[in-house]
Amino acid sequence: MRLRHAALAAALLGVLGVPAHADDARDISRDTLPPNDGWASADGGTTGGAAADDAHVFTVTDRAGLVRALDGGSDTPKIIKIAGTIDAGTDDRGRRLDCADYTTGGYSLKKYLAAYDPRTWGAARPSGPQEEARKASAARQAERIELGVGSNTTIVGLGDDALLTGASLRISDADNVIVRNLEIRDAYDCFPVWQPNSGGLGDWKAAYDTIWLRGASHVWIDHVTLSDKGHLDEDEPTHFARNYLRHDGLLDITNGSDLVTVSWSRFADHDKAMLIGNGDTATGDRGRLRVTLHHNEFASVVQRAPRVRFGQVHLYNNRYVVPEDAHDYRYSIGVSTESAVYAEHNAFHTPGHVEAADLVKSWNGSALHDEGSLFNGYPVDLLAIYNAYNSGSERDLTADVGWTPVLHGPVDSAAAADRAVARGAGAGRIR
């Protein structure tokens, strides 16, 4: 009899979208960031929704339930458990929406391309009926897929297969947030904008980061998997001789965000993975953008792993994998204006056509601390290699970044961390 009841309970959990094995797993929903685990442990630490009362603990299985639980980004302590797969691109009845459902005002890509062809339009910013129609269509999509996360919130995936797809989590002007054990993929933009002056040749700009921290503080992101799985940008066509990008960052930390720890997470199959600091002129970011990245994997990422402006970033025990068929890899660590990156004991795996000199790129940067790095199994000094191979377009970097990290656990050798991250990073791997 007891076995029959257990089987019935398991079946009911499956119907509700809760993995049948969820009760067997350790409940992590009230976990808080351990002491000394990176910058997010400073100044009182990060507890997320651990103080939530029972009325504010939710298990959600669809977009409508997730939106209700988020409560308009309120500051009320809350725990949100995601069970199974939630698709943000659905209407209130759960019907899947596609780009045509958001399109309004007479927008069409064919008309947009004809209107703003650089050969006839020139280098001015797009304006006029098609750009207005694009903006209106984009606003309709944003209303569905942008999900605001307020202060004192924990979002966790149940079991090992919790998935949020087609969503952009916005942690904006919020404090004390935890996101753990969750795969989030394919924050797909139906209506990218053409920017004629971007990069000198023009470029397409997508609107949505998979997770965007904007003016956020005390944020712990742990055992998440972020990717473009389902709609890779490399499979998109080119328009105006530029790749028609559908995704922005996987995790961007901007607009004065501060005290962030990102741990045991996986960033995959993407172009611009992580931007820390959004502009060279954003001098208000000085003294902020303090971020720790440890035991993360960056796999099949083209660039920005991360790219840093202004921030004090501790980058240790991470694993980088550039695939054999990579044809557009640009760099991993980006050193930009007033950045202070302290990198130690990271492991890099690349095919033969990617050299150690390709791993670091600087734009108006001045310093990089690097020690204990491994490149395809061999010790390398990334700072010395960068300075030796610098073409002269940028000044040499010094080793003095002006600070030494103290908020961290044991720093393993790059080889040991490499093995541990390969086994343990990403959603569904909390043990």
Side-chain angles (χ1 to χ4, degrees), residues 258 283-290 310:
D258 198 21
T283 55
D285 286 344
R286 287 175 179 147
R288 303 182 68 81
L289 297 172
R290 292 173 290 179
F310 295 104

Side-chain angles (χ1 to χ4, degrees), residues 414-431:
D418 188 34
R419 294 188 296 268
V421 170
R423 292 191 305 268
R429 293 183 171 185
I430 294 180
R431 296 294 181 260

Side-chain angles (χ1 to χ4, degrees), residues 35 52 70 94 98 113 146 180 195 205-206 211 222 249 306 391:
L70 287 168
D98 60 24
L113 294 175
E146 290 183 350
R180 300 185 75 201
Q195 296 183 322
K205 171 67 174 173
I211 301 178
D222 177 68
S391 66

Side-chain angles (χ1 to χ4, degrees), residues 229-249:
K229 189 174 181 180
H231 287 105
L232 299 183
D233 279 338
E234 66 185 37
D235 296 332
E236 294 290 332
T238 59
H239 297 303
F240 307 151
R242 306 296 286 168
N243 188 216
Y244 191 51
L245 295 174
R246 298 290 194 158
H247 306 87
D248 198 8

Side-chain angles (χ1 to χ4, degrees), residues 214-371:
R214 187 180 191 278
S217 59
H218 288 105
V219 179
W220 180 29
I221 295 174
D222 177 68
H223 281 92
V224 302
T225 298
L226 305 178
S227 77
D228 295 345
K229 189 174 181 180
H231 287 105
L232 299 183
D233 279 338
E234 66 185 37
D235 296 332
E236 294 290 332
T238 59
H239 297 303
F240 307 151
R242 306 296 286 168
N243 188 216
Y244 191 51
L245 295 174
R246 298 290 194 158
H247 306 87
D248 198 8
L250 287 178
L251 171 60
D252 280 9
I253 303 169
T254 67
N255 295 81
S257 292
D258 198 21
L259 303 178
V260 177
T261 297
V262 183
S263 56
W264 294 99
S265 293
R266 188 168 190 271
F267 303 84
D269 304 318
H270 189 80
D271 185 351
K272 303 176 180 72
M274 186 185 301
L275 182 65
I276 300 175
N278 54 308
D280 290 346
T281 60
T283 55
D285 286 344
R286 287 175 179 147
R288 303 182 68 81
L289 297 172
R290 292 173 290 179
V291 179
T292 300
L293 304 172
H294 73 85
H295 294 93
N296 303 292
E297 180 175 69
F298 296 90
S300 193
V301 165
V302 175
Q303 57 186 314
R304 296 187 183 178
R307 179 177 176 180
V308 183
R309 296 180 176 95
F310 295 104
Q312 292 183 343
V313 176
H314 190 197
L315 185 70
Y316 76 92
N317 282 172
N318 299 286
R319 168 182 164 90
Y320 294 79
V321 181
V322 181
E324 287 292 332
D325 60 353
H327 56 84
D328 55 358
Y329 173 81
R330 294 187 60 188
Y331 67 93
S332 292
I333 302 172
V335 181
S336 297
T337 302
E338 296 186 34
S339 63
V341 177
Y342 196 105
E344 51 182 337
H345 300 277
N346 299 293
F348 300 84
H349 302 268
T350 76
H353 66 278
V354 176
E355 301 178 0
D358 298 321
L359 300 179
V360 175
K361 187 173 177 60
S362 174
W363 299 264
N364 198 34
S366 61
L368 170 67
H369 178 97
D370 175 71
E371 62 180 82

Side-chain angles (χ1 to χ4, degrees), residues 118-154:
R119 294 171 296 183
T120 54
W121 178 260
R125 179 179 299 178
S127 62
Q130 273 300 300
E131 173 59 9
E132 293 306 310
R134 187 203 64 79
K135 288 180 179 177
S137 302
R140 295 182 66 179
Q141 183 184 15
E143 184 180 359
R144 304 306 297 178
I145 75 168
E146 290 183 350
L147 302 174
V149 180
S151 299
N152 309 312
T153 299
T154 291

